[in-house]
Amino acid sequence: MRTIKTLREERGWTQLELGNKLGVTPVTVYNWERGQHIPTAVQLRAIARTFGVRMDDIDFESPMESKSAA
């Protein structure tokens, strides 16, 4: 499983570029990558389609995990 950030960086995309592809702001992408927010089901489908992976292949860091790792 890979995170949105990993998938994005593997393609050399910025948060702005990914946001444009998904119709969201770069701040939204940033918040997903930091574990501050989890994408909705519709957004998750779009993310998976954009990266050419299954929705189950995307790993999300929960807000609790990101705080304990700090």
Side-chain angles (χ1 to χ4, degrees), residues 17-46:
E17 290 170 321
L18 178 57
N20 287 340
K21 291 175 187 301
L22 297 171
V24 299
T25 67
V27 173
T28 299
V29 175
Y30 172 82
N31 286 328
W32 291 338
E33 291 181 356
R34 300 265 306 159
Q36 299 301 316
H37 299 284
I38 301 296
T40 65
V42 171
Q43 291 169 329
L44 182 55
R45 264 192 301 279

